[in-house]
Amino acid sequence: MTAITLVEGVTQALAHELRRDPRVVVFGQDVGANGGVFRATEGLQKTFGEERVRDTPLAETMIAGIAVGMAVQGLRPVAEFQFMGFIYPGLDHILSHATRLRNRTRGRLSCPVVYRAPYGGGIHAPEHHSESTEAIFAHVPGLRVVVPSSPARAYGLLLASIRDPDPVLFLEPKRIYRAARQEVPDSGEPLPLDRAFVLREGSDITLIAWGAALRETLEVAEELAGEGVKAEVIDPATLKPLDIHTIIDSLEKTGRCVVVHEAARFGGLGAEIAAQIGEYAFDLLKAPVQRVTGYDTVMPYYQLENQYLPDQSRILRGVRAALEYPR
Amino acid sequence: MTAITLVEGVTQALAHELRRDPRVVVFGQDVGANGGVFRATEGLQKTFGEERVRDTPLAETMIAGIAVGMAVQGLRPVAEFQFMGFIYPGLDHILSHATRLRNRTRGRLSCPVVYRAPYGGGIHAPEHHSESTEAIFAHVPGLRVVVPSSPARAYGLLLASIRDPDPVLFLEPKRIYRAARQEVPDSGEPLPLDRAFVLREGSDITLIAWGAALRETLEVAEELAGEGVKAEVIDPATLKPLDIHTIIDSLEKTGRCVVVHEAARFGGLGAEIAAQIGEYAFDLLKAPVQRVTGYDTVMPYYQLENQYLPDQSRILRGVRAALEYPR
Amino acid sequence: MHKPKMQLVASFDIARLQYLDARGQATQPLPGFATPDTLQALYRQMALARLVDDRAVKLQRTGQLGTYPSTLGQEAIGVGVGGALRTEDVYCPYYRETGALLERGVEIEEILAIWGGDERGQGFRHAPRDLPLCVPIATQLLHAAGIAFALKYRHQRLDEPARVAVSCAGEGATSKGDFYEALNLLGVWQLPAVFVINNNQWAISVPRHRQTATPTIAQKAVAAGVSALQVDGNDVIAVRSAVADAVARARGGEGPTLIEATSYRLCDHTTADDARRYRPEQELHEAEQSEPLVRLGTYLRGTGDWSDELEGELQRELAEVCERALRNYAERPRESATAMFDHLYAELPEALIEQYEELRNEEVAP
Amino acid sequence: MHKPKMQLVASFDIARLQYLDARGQATQPLPGFATPDTLQALYRQMALARLVDDRAVKLQRTGQLGTYPSTLGQEAIGVGVGGALRTEDVYCPYYRETGALLERGVEIEEILAIWGGDERGQGFRHAPRDLPLCVPIATQLLHAAGIAFALKYRHQRLDEPARVAVSCAGEGATSKGDFYEALNLLGVWQLPAVFVINNNQWAISVPRHRQTATPTIAQKAVAAGVSALQVDGNDVIAVRSAVADAVARARGGEGPTLIEATSYRLCDHTTADDARRYRPEQELHEAEQSEPLVRLGTYLRGTGDWSDELEGELQRELAEVCERALRNYAERPRESATAMFDHLYAELPEALIEQYEELRNEEVAP
Ligand SMILES: Cc1ncc(C[n+]2csc(CCOP(=O)(O)OP(=O)(O)O)c2C)c(N)n1
Ligand SMILES: Cc1ncc(C[n+]2csc(CCOP(=O)(O)OP(=O)(O)O)c2C)c(N)n1
Ligand SMILES: [Mg+2]
Ligand SMILES: [Mg+2]
């Protein structure tokens, strides 16, 4: 067994489910012969045929909408948006239908669909190719929003998402699609969609991040260790519904917290996490929850994207602010 | 001068700007002969003609998109979405273009458009007619999100929104469209888009709400006064950019805060407000910021909508939790 | 301007189907299914739809129902469409659908419950596979396209019988991208689906000629390479026949069809609307002359298959049917508030238990 | 199945325009504008576009540019369209536009800056009214529709000269709702706009026949009641002539036009793509036989208006032009990071000052 990348973890999960369940169909723009612009569906059409791994016309509203129809009629659609920046025309069908059909029909119908999209910046892509607007979708009742941050979690969480009886938005951090390799047996073992992952244990401060931002966050934790500061690093992975308990348990130890995300700060998920910490851990908090995030401006073209994205130095500054509070 | 309702305040502002500025055009579904399904554009087509007050075909992506083109070419488009529940197909043009054109062209072009939509529940309407997803839009950099809560603020804030050089989402709380009357002179005087309104002064607790929820919130404040509890009530009105200073100033006095909104709690604006309070008023806080909001489920059909919407008793419970903390 | 020589690369025709004209006269031999029994049944269903709409509007006027969209004058479309499907086919309604829903077996009290603000009405006890009523314009057409793919897939790969997805929308809906994206997919994927457009000439207050510049709605299928036709939507025989043929072609793997059924909205858009604000009186009066129920009745009386006596019996029977339904609607138990959480996810996530409890406590002790 | 009698209610034809065939032979008398000078100028611009694309791709390969979409093989469309507009008209490009941008006066270094990750490239010093390059597929068509309304409005009500909005998109873009919603509006509002579709047969890896079932893209205009034609998109004379006529009609108040220009993408989709993964070699070789530059060159040589010598001169001149542009691109000053806030709003809101300061401090002392 050879070590695989995060994007290969996605492919392995798709192949596993296509093999296991004849109801699974994968579709989107260029997912067929081209194997997806990031090769996430590499080879799948050859193996499973054009009916099950299909290129669609260029229409995101359509991609989001037909997935609803397929799911309602007993298929297990896995729809790809080529980039998160092009998902917005699909929001209406996700928010108004995919997440509501079960409730609307009081359980008569259901909508087990997975919407996949590469997300996040840092790959020197053109405009609209670096979006991270997970907060928009995490506000939508009835949806699950899942973000893997390692090959193993990509594999296990995607298996779980495809098998989940309800709609899932599965956001793939493209900046780390090939950043690291890991041995991931094709065991068919899903990972839970309601548990945060503690990636590193520590008792001095809690660092929360997901997707690609975990890279810099873990590096900062390592750096802090050198200074004798023990940082606990938590990857919520399933951003909605959020496993706040694991976070609160960590705050019990640390009393200090930094949330890191690429997305703009205002109305980002850092706000929800900070708010819930305020609600559940008010007396535990020794310092304000620090949000280290993208700025509240448009994701710039790539010349400035690294100034926009939170880096180690900004994360570290957040950590210091939390550790040194009150001055 | 006779007293007018909130929706009449909207009409008066539209008429004023149509009269004042030949570049202003109003369009949307049924805004013409029908005067809008809520009569917000009543009589405008008769007065200003079909070129300036236009019915569009039934296509929200189009409504959002052509507004961008009109604004870029020197008009002042005021586009109506018939209900907020139907705005989602327009999100792409709002998020990807209206809010980005100025930045994308480094100031060469700009996009002074106003997107209007009635929002919120409580009028026994059919499904999708009771949405309040302002948090989705407030997360979008470059946008202004404005919500009036009185006839005078509807008039003054809409004037300001139309004259603002950048895109504005103007959300009208339809539940209180006709709830109260107020004398509003057609003075042409705009209200600021960067200041929160203190609707009631108090020193014991800060209540923050916007739109229709202010009704119950002010009633609760009144009720509290009877018990000798002085509640300060703040209407941010401009949800983005948010005037946090006015809120922090209030916290300096009260140290306790309840945020009320109809929208679902998770990822709602209550979270952003709570997070910023945590950041700017950590040492002032005597109790966790309480969020009294819609539940994290789909807005129900009207038989259950009043159980979904925050009412006086739920707001009061939040107030007690804030006041009685720590137990 | 110089006129260059150009080469013809493609041509398209749009045809219209009618069997009964506005005066109830046959304009050509009727199709095989049009036996006296069938025609009487169609007449009955149109009459029922009209009565249900009438009762629903009265309920709304007396505060017992929310906003309601009547199908007055368009009964031939719903009844013609609904009757042309097999039980196992999948129907994807919009919201102005009384006739089709009744044909599909949806109960009157379910229809009333939906507009009475009660999700349980969407339960469709006797049409379990059909989609619920759909409010966001044209979105159901994309769901129908996805369903058509699923039906084709399950037929070809899972050995299930050939089934068809049928969906309706108004002419206003054809201005929305969803309509076109769905139609284009039906064409390129050759899906077993039939789209029927109820062209009732109005989208709330927006008349057809302000909705699109095309002389017909049917021709919009040319943009998707889908076959299309226009039918007289007030002629239930034409509607039933055109839909049945299209469904048969779809079932046989011969691809999708777009059908424009021309009619007229003789009522307000909904009970929340007042059409007098925008609709010319004269236009309404002319439209009333070609309404579907009288038309079929005239024809049947001409062939001796209908009479005042039969009409009387029918009205008595239908009145009873409606009374029973109204009683059931009025007497249905209230739904618990926690229902808003019960079907949000298959299982309530841990993160929502606290809110669920809060709501339940509210309900027991408000 | 019984075949009922039906009445024909509408018919439509789609015609195709060509002046030069693939071998560079005139298939009919050329339009008036096609003087040797003009044709040489068009040839020059196509050659320049090809050279710019070539240089840009090389820059990307050497890490000096981001992802770049070449127009190789489609130069006749951009050059034919761009040359048919007046300066005061408004052009709404998509992203595969080298020829049209050059015609509009956009500078080569601006084009390079855009794909080099620098918003300042969208500044279009010499085309201040045109829209910037647009990445989200088909969205620019709705902006063009809105602009067309504004131009008509300002002409009729603010006494400005009659201007036209022109926009381009790929054939893949015609599957998106934005395309159809925009076209439908052009039709019903009779807006002064011209849409040109670069049908280069591929949408990244998706071939035209999987994009839509229609034999032509032009016929999609039938769905909107908009006049349309197909042109040989590798024949710059046909493109220029068709667009010029359509723009003149739009300017004269005679309404919008959809033009399908058939061509072929002789390059990868972008520098991030490898077409060998999905594109048949054979198809590429055939397509190369009808490319636009050689075609016009052959014709001009036939009429004695072009020669190896002229070609040599031209290539030397264009090489210089490109070198100068590449130098300017390489030497442009870096933009300050705070620029990401400077043009977000007309004025920086108070709420953002703190973040602005944070960013500025980062930059001075990282
Ligand atoms: C996406 C969307 N936009 C707006 C509305 C509000 N609305 C409800 S019905 C209607 C008009 C629909 O007209 P048409 O499609 O012709 O159907 P009809 O009601 O005439 O049967 C509108 C604008 C909606 N329900 N959905
Ligand atoms: C809304 C949207 N979806 C997906 C993409 C990704 N994408 C970029 S180009 C392209 C193919 C476009 O093909 P076509 O319209 O034929 O234009 P061409 O590139 O062939 O000139 C796709 C899918 C995008 N830019 N925008
Ligand atoms: Mg209609
Ligand atoms: Mg193409």
Side-chain angles (χ1 to χ4, degrees):
Chain A
M1 184 179 62
T2 63
I4 62 173
T5 61
L6 195 156
V7 67
E8 288 163 348
V10 169
T11 315
Q12 182 171 298
L14 292 172
H16 189 96
E17 290 305 284
L18 281 161
R19 208 175 300 111
R20 192 186 63 80
D21 184 349
R23 301 167 307 169
V24 172
V25 292
V26 171
F27 60 94
Q29 297 154 5
D30 307 291
V31 300
N34 201 33
V37 294
F38 287 104
R39 309 294 176 250
T41 55
E42 176 85 64
L44 295 181
Q45 188 177 66
K46 211 183 230 80
T47 312
F48 299 100
E50 292 196 0
E51 276 296 305
R52 299 190 64 194
V53 181
R54 277 180 95 73
D55 287 330
T56 64
L58 207 169
E60 281 75 13
T61 307
M62 178 273 287
I63 288 172
I66 62 171
V68 171
M70 293 177 181
V72 165
Q73 264 304 317
L75 299 188
R76 290 294 183 138
V78 182
E80 175 179 302
F81 294 98
Q82 198 159 75
F83 289 86
M84 189 178 200
F86 309 128
I87 198 175
Y88 308 116
L91 175 67
D92 185 38
H93 283 271
I94 297 171
L95 182 155
S96 303
H97 294 299
T99 54
R100 297 189 184 195
L101 264 172
R102 178 190 294 277
N103 176 69
R104 177 180 299 148
T105 60
R106 287 301 187 246
R108 174 170 66 91
L109 301 174
S110 68
C111 201
V113 45
V114 176
Y115 295 108
R116 292 179 45 241
Y119 96 111
I123 64 163
H124 280 206
E127 191 179 2
H128 307 284
H129 290 66
S130 305
E131 306 273 308
S132 41
T133 46
E134 63 271 20
I136 288 179
F137 296 86
H139 186 50
V140 177
L143 192 61
R144 289 182 195 275
V145 180
V146 179
V147 181
S149 61
S150 75
R153 283 187 291 277
Y155 175 76
L157 291 171
L158 185 50
L159 287 184
S161 299
I162 295 173
R163 298 174 191 178
D164 190 83
D166 292 304
V168 177
L169 176 64
F170 193 83
L171 298 173
E172 301 166 7
K174 64 172 105 73
R175 178 159 64 93
I176 56 169
Y177 255 158
R178 296 178 170 76
R181 296 188 162 275
Q182 181 181 16
E183 295 214 335
V184 182
D186 191 3
S187 62
E189 279 307 317
L191 286 167
L193 294 181
D194 56 3
R195 287 279 163 272
F197 297 88
V198 177
L199 302 188
R200 179 185 181 115
E201 304 218 337
S203 51
D204 298 328
I205 187 164
T206 304
L207 309 184
I208 301 169
W210 50 90
L214 268 164
R215 244 186 130 186
E216 290 70 36
T217 305
L218 285 164
E219 285 168 19
V220 166
E222 189 58 36
E223 188 173 336
L224 289 168
E227 309 173 9
V229 176
K230 298 186 219 53
E232 181 145 297
V233 178
I234 297 178
D235 174 9
T238 300
L239 302 179
K240 182 192 187 80
L242 180 72
D243 169 17
I244 193 67
H245 302 299
T246 301
I247 292 170
I248 300 303
D249 291 348
S250 180
L251 264 294
E252 300 249 357
K253 296 187 293 184
T254 64
R256 303 174 190 273
C257 180
V258 177
V259 187
V260 183
H261 58 66
E262 283 187 25
R265 180 173 312 164
F266 193 91
L269 277 175
E272 178 62 34
I273 292 170
Q276 289 199 32
I277 289 173
E279 286 158 2
Y280 293 108
F282 190 74
D283 300 323
L284 302 172
L285 272 180
K286 305 193 188 99
V289 176
Q290 304 292 320
R291 291 187 286 167
V292 179
T293 69
Y295 294 105
D296 286 319
T297 185
V298 177
M299 177 74 185
Y301 286 15
Y302 75 76
Q303 288 293 340
L304 298 180
E305 73 177 332
N306 291 335
Q307 274 82 347
Y308 177 88
L309 298 172
D311 59 6
Q312 289 88 336
S313 73
R314 272 159 70 188
I315 298 171
L316 207 49
R317 207 175 319 125
V319 170
R320 304 244 182 267
L323 289 176
E324 292 159 15
Y325 191 91
R327 292 193 166 284
Chain B
M1 183 180 61
T2 62
I4 62 174
T5 61
L6 195 155
V7 68
E8 288 164 348
V10 169
T11 314
Q12 182 171 298
L14 291 172
H16 189 96
E17 290 305 284
L18 281 160
R19 209 174 301 111
R20 192 186 63 80
D21 184 348
R23 301 167 307 168
V24 171
V25 292
V26 171
F27 59 95
Q29 297 153 5
D30 308 291
V31 299
N34 200 34
V37 293
F38 287 104
R39 309 294 175 252
T41 54
E42 175 86 62
L44 296 181
Q45 187 177 68
K46 213 184 226 81
T47 312
F48 299 99
E50 292 195 1
E51 276 295 304
R52 300 190 64 195
V53 182
R54 279 180 92 74
D55 287 329
T56 64
L58 208 170
E60 282 74 14
T61 307
M62 179 272 287
I63 288 173
I66 63 171
V68 171
M70 293 178 182
V72 165
Q73 264 304 316
L75 300 188
R76 291 294 185 137
V78 182
E80 174 179 303
F81 294 98
Q82 199 158 75
F83 288 86
M84 190 178 199
F86 309 128
I87 197 176
Y88 308 115
L91 175 66
D92 186 37
H93 282 270
I94 297 172
L95 182 155
S96 302
H97 294 300
T99 54
R100 296 188 184 196
L101 264 172
R102 179 189 294 278
N103 176 68
R104 178 181 297 149
T105 60
R106 287 298 186 250
R108 173 169 67 90
L109 302 174
S110 68
C111 200
V113 47
V114 176
Y115 295 108
R116 291 179 47 242
Y119 95 110
I123 62 163
H124 280 205
E127 191 178 3
H128 307 283
H129 290 68
S130 305
E131 306 272 311
S132 41
T133 46
E134 63 271 19
I136 287 178
F137 296 86
H139 186 50
V140 177
L143 192 61
R144 288 182 196 276
V145 180
V146 178
V147 181
S149 60
S150 75
R153 283 187 291 277
Y155 176 76
L157 290 170
L158 184 49
L159 287 184
S161 298
I162 296 172
R163 297 173 191 179
D164 189 83
D166 292 304
V168 176
L169 176 64
F170 193 83
L171 298 173
E172 301 166 8
K174 63 171 108 70
R175 179 159 64 94
I176 57 169
Y177 255 157
R178 296 179 168 76
R181 296 187 163 274
Q182 183 181 16
E183 295 213 337
V184 183
D186 191 4
S187 62
E189 279 307 316
L191 286 167
L193 294 182
D194 56 2
R195 288 279 164 270
F197 298 87
V198 178
L199 301 189
R200 180 187 181 111
E201 303 216 339
S203 51
D204 297 330
I205 187 165
T206 304
L207 309 184
I208 302 169
W210 50 91
L214 269 164
R215 250 189 124 182
E216 291 71 33
T217 306
L218 285 163
E219 285 167 19
V220 166
E222 188 59 36
E223 189 172 334
L224 289 168
E227 308 172 10
V229 176
K230 299 185 217 54
E232 181 145 298
V233 178
I234 298 178
D235 174 9
T238 300
L239 302 179
K240 183 193 186 78
L242 180 73
D243 169 17
I244 192 67
H245 302 298
T246 301
I247 292 171
I248 300 304
D249 291 348
S250 180
L251 265 294
E252 300 249 357
K253 296 187 293 185
T254 64
R256 304 177 190 274
C257 180
V258 177
V259 187
V260 183
H261 58 66
E262 283 187 25
R265 181 173 310 163
F266 193 90
L269 277 176
E272 178 62 35
I273 292 170
Q276 289 199 32
I277 290 173
E279 287 159 1
Y280 292 109
F282 189 73
D283 300 324
L284 302 172
L285 272 180
K286 306 193 188 99
V289 175
Q290 303 292 320
R291 291 187 286 168
V292 179
T293 69
Y295 294 106
D296 286 317
T297 185
V298 176
M299 177 75 185
Y301 285 17
Y302 74 75
Q303 289 294 340
L304 297 180
E305 72 177 333
N306 290 335
Q307 275 82 346
Y308 177 88
L309 298 171
D311 59 8
Q312 290 86 335
S313 72
R314 272 158 70 187
I315 297 170
L316 208 48
R317 210 176 316 126
V319 169
R320 303 249 181 265
L323 289 175
E324 292 159 17
Y325 191 91
R327 293 196 167 283
Chain C
M1 224 176 274
H2 80 112
K3 279 259 150 289
K5 128 171 150 306
M6 296 184 66
Q7 166 199 358
L8 182 70
V9 285
S11 291
F12 312 94
D13 293 336
I14 298 297
R16 177 178 171 89
L17 178 65
Q18 184 194 58
Y19 286 101
L20 294 188
D21 65 21
R23 298 184 330 294
Q25 307 305 314
T27 54
Q28 65 174 307
L30 301 194
F33 71 81
T35 62
D37 292 2
T38 312
L39 295 184
Q40 285 173 349
L42 290 170
Y43 183 84
R44 177 194 186 279
Q45 288 303 89
M46 290 199 288
L48 177 58
R50 184 162 295 187
L51 194 62
V52 168
D53 284 340
D54 175 70
R55 291 286 193 279
V57 170
K58 291 200 174 80
L59 280 180
Q60 191 280 335
R61 298 283 183 240
T62 53
Q64 301 167 75
L65 195 73
T67 304
Y68 183 84
S70 167
T71 63
L72 187 66
Q74 307 142 73
E75 296 87 352
I77 299 173
V79 170
V81 171
L85 316 193
R86 292 189 189 160
T87 316
E88 66 266 28
D89 291 331
V90 180
Y91 189 58
C92 309
Y94 72 127
Y95 49 81
R96 192 183 305 283
E97 290 278 11
T98 320
L101 296 181
L102 294 172
E103 286 290 305
R104 294 296 292 168
V106 176
E107 295 180 344
I108 297 168
E109 46 263 58
E110 289 179 317
I111 299 173
L112 295 175
I114 293 169
W115 301 106
D118 184 341
E119 285 88 347
R120 290 173 299 178
Q122 301 272 31
F124 292 7
R125 272 182 294 271
H126 307 304
R129 271 188 233 80
D130 290 355
L131 287 187
L133 294 197
C134 182
V135 168
I137 299 291
T139 54
Q140 75 281 2
L141 299 172
L142 279 167
H143 307 157
I147 288 172
F149 174 85
L151 297 178
K152 183 180 184 182
Y153 181 95
R154 293 171 60 166
H155 174 57
Q156 294 180 344
R157 307 185 61 96
L158 312 178
D159 306 322
E160 297 187 0
R163 297 188 281 152
V164 179
V166 178
S167 188
C168 263
E171 89 290 345
T174 66
S175 296
K176 197 150 171 281
D178 300 54
F179 162 78
Y180 169 71
E181 292 187 4
L183 204 63
N184 187 58
L185 192 75
L186 296 192
V188 71
W189 284 8
Q190 282 299 292
L191 298 176
V194 177
F195 287 176
V196 180
I197 302 303
N198 169 354
N199 179 357
N200 62 11
Q201 312 302 328
W202 290 90
I204 305 186
S205 72
V206 180
R208 204 202 134 302
H209 68 275
R210 289 187 192 277
Q211 196 63 243
T212 184
T214 62
T216 72
I217 297 295
Q219 75 193 70
K220 290 175 182 286
V222 171
V226 167
S227 55
L229 76 159
Q230 188 184 68
V231 305
D232 183 331
N234 291 342
D235 170 5
V236 68
I237 302 172
V239 176
R240 166 68 170 268
S241 152
V243 176
D245 291 357
V247 166
R249 282 196 305 276
R251 199 184 307 282
E254 296 168 59
T257 307
L258 175 70
I259 298 173
E260 173 190 6
T262 58
S263 182
Y264 194 90
R265 198 192 77 210
L266 294 178
C267 49
D268 292 334
H269 168 66
T270 65
T271 51
D273 177 50
D274 176 6
R276 287 165 309 181
R277 294 175 58 88
Y278 53 78
R279 187 184 54 197
E281 273 298 303
Q282 183 52 22
E283 186 182 296
L284 178 64
H285 295 322
E286 280 162 23
E288 279 164 346
Q289 305 318 309
S290 53
E291 66 108 317
L293 198 54
V294 171
R295 180 186 302 204
L296 181 57
T298 311
Y299 174 79
L300 285 173
R301 285 165 190 271
T303 57
D305 297 306
W306 201 250
S307 65
D308 294 352
E309 192 193 350
L310 288 170
E311 182 71 32
E313 278 176 35
L314 177 63
Q315 292 303 334
R316 273 188 297 281
E317 181 225 335
L318 298 183
E320 271 176 38
V321 170
C322 283
E323 294 332 310
R324 211 177 308 116
L326 262 64
R327 225 176 300 113
N328 295 339
Y329 167 66
E331 291 167 2
R332 77 191 191 292
R334 205 178 186 311
E335 191 181 34
S336 153
T338 50
M340 72 176 77
F341 278 110
D342 293 336
H343 304 285
L344 183 61
Y345 297 90
E347 266 180 58
L348 190 69
E350 221 174 287
L352 293 180
I353 290 173
E354 202 177 306
Q355 289 188 26
Y356 182 91
E357 298 298 340
E358 182 188 341
L359 176 60
R360 203 184 43 197
N361 299 337
E362 278 241 326
E363 201 173 25
V364 291
Chain D
M1 221 175 276
H2 80 111
K3 279 259 149 293
K5 142 170 135 312
M6 296 184 65
Q7 164 200 2
L8 183 68
V9 285
S11 291
F12 311 94
D13 292 337
I14 298 298
R16 177 178 171 89
L17 178 66
Q18 183 195 58
Y19 286 101
L20 293 187
D21 66 19
R23 296 182 334 295
Q25 308 304 312
T27 54
Q28 64 174 310
L30 302 193
F33 71 81
T35 62
D37 292 3
T38 312
L39 295 184
Q40 286 175 349
L42 290 170
Y43 183 84
R44 176 193 186 278
Q45 288 304 88
M46 291 198 290
L48 177 58
R50 183 163 296 187
L51 194 63
V52 168
D53 284 339
D54 174 71
R55 291 285 192 281
V57 170
K58 291 201 175 76
L59 280 179
Q60 190 280 335
R61 299 282 182 239
T62 55
Q64 301 166 75
L65 196 73
T67 305
Y68 184 83
S70 168
T71 63
L72 187 67
Q74 307 142 75
E75 297 87 351
I77 298 173
V79 170
V81 171
L85 315 192
R86 291 191 189 157
T87 317
E88 66 267 26
D89 292 331
V90 180
Y91 189 58
C92 310
Y94 73 126
Y95 48 82
R96 192 183 304 284
E97 291 278 10
T98 320
L101 296 180
L102 294 172
E103 286 291 304
R104 294 297 291 169
V106 175
E107 295 180 343
I108 298 168
E109 47 263 57
E110 289 179 318
I111 299 173
L112 295 175
I114 294 168
W115 301 106
D118 184 341
E119 286 89 347
R120 291 173 297 179
Q122 301 272 33
F124 291 10
R125 271 182 295 269
H126 307 304
R129 269 189 234 79
D130 290 356
L131 287 187
L133 294 198
C134 182
V135 168
I137 299 291
T139 54
Q140 74 280 2
L141 299 172
L142 279 167
H143 306 157
I147 288 172
F149 173 85
L151 297 178
K152 184 179 182 181
Y153 182 95
R154 292 170 59 165
H155 173 55
Q156 294 180 346
R157 306 185 62 97
L158 312 178
D159 308 322
E160 296 187 1
R163 297 188 281 152
V164 180
V166 178
S167 189
C168 264
E171 89 290 344
T174 66
S175 296
K176 198 151 171 283
D178 299 54
F179 162 77
Y180 169 71
E181 291 186 5
L183 204 62
N184 187 59
L185 192 76
L186 296 191
V188 71
W189 285 7
Q190 282 299 292
L191 298 176
V194 177
F195 287 175
V196 180
I197 302 304
N198 170 355
N199 178 357
N200 63 9
Q201 312 303 327
W202 291 89
I204 305 187
S205 72
V206 180
R208 203 204 136 303
H209 69 275
R210 289 186 193 275
Q211 197 63 242
T212 184
T214 62
T216 72
I217 297 295
Q219 76 194 70
K220 291 174 182 286
V222 170
V226 167
S227 56
L229 74 160
Q230 188 184 66
V231 304
D232 183 332
N234 291 341
D235 171 5
V236 70
I237 302 172
V239 175
R240 166 67 170 270
S241 151
V243 176
D245 291 356
V247 167
R249 282 197 306 276
R251 199 183 309 283
E254 296 168 61
T257 307
L258 174 70
I259 298 173
E260 172 190 6
T262 57
S263 183
Y264 194 90
R265 198 191 77 209
L266 293 178
C267 49
D268 291 334
H269 169 68
T270 66
T271 51
D273 175 52
D274 175 6
R276 288 165 309 182
R277 294 175 59 88
Y278 52 79
R279 186 182 55 197
E281 272 298 302
Q282 185 50 26
E283 184 182 297
L284 178 64
H285 295 322
E286 280 161 24
E288 280 163 344
Q289 305 318 307
S290 52
E291 65 108 316
L293 198 53
V294 171
R295 179 186 301 205
L296 181 57
T298 312
Y299 174 80
L300 285 173
R301 286 166 188 269
T303 58
D305 297 305
W306 201 248
S307 65
D308 294 354
E309 192 193 355
L310 287 170
E311 182 71 30
E313 279 176 32
L314 176 64
Q315 290 305 331
R316 273 188 299 281
E317 180 223 334
L318 298 183
E320 274 175 32
V321 170
C322 282
E323 292 334 309
R324 211 176 309 117
L326 263 64
R327 226 178 298 113
N328 295 339
Y329 167 67
E331 292 167 1
R332 79 192 191 291
R334 205 180 186 310
E335 189 180 36
S336 152
T338 50
M340 71 175 76
F341 278 111
D342 293 335
H343 304 286
L344 183 61
Y345 296 91
E347 266 181 58
L348 190 69
E350 220 175 290
L352 293 180
I353 289 172
E354 200 178 308
Q355 289 188 27
Y356 182 91
E357 298 298 341
E358 180 189 345
L359 176 59
R360 203 184 43 199
N361 299 337
E362 276 241 327
E363 200 173 27
V364 292

